[in-house]
Amino acid sequence: MRNIMSSSAFHPLRPHRITRANRQMREKRTAWALIAFGIVLACIELYIVYSAL
């Protein structure tokens, strides 16, 4: 049984440069999603604080 990961047909499907670019884009999207989520939570917290006054 041969190893599928070491076959030469598998490597051209995943070049390292594209993987790195995709990872950077995914990290940037995740960062923006976390920033937006934090802003939404801050707005909700301010609404709760001001409604309690």
Side-chain angles (χ1 to χ4, degrees):
M1 189 168 101
R2 58 181 187 169
N3 192 355
I4 297 173
M5 296 297 284
S6 65
S7 68
S8 62
F10 183 74
H11 291 292
L13 297 176
R14 293 173 47 176
H16 193 267
R17 187 176 71 243
I18 295 176
T19 303
R20 187 181 307 157
N22 286 341
R23 185 183 307 140
Q24 287 176 351
M25 288 297 294
R26 187 169 56 240
E27 288 175 356
K28 198 175 289 188
R29 259 197 320 260
T30 304
W32 279 111
L34 288 174
I35 289 170
F37 185 66
I39 290 172
V40 169
L41 283 181
C43 292
I44 292 172
E45 186 176 350
L46 286 174
Y47 175 76
I48 291 172
V49 167
Y50 283 129
S51 65
L53 293 178

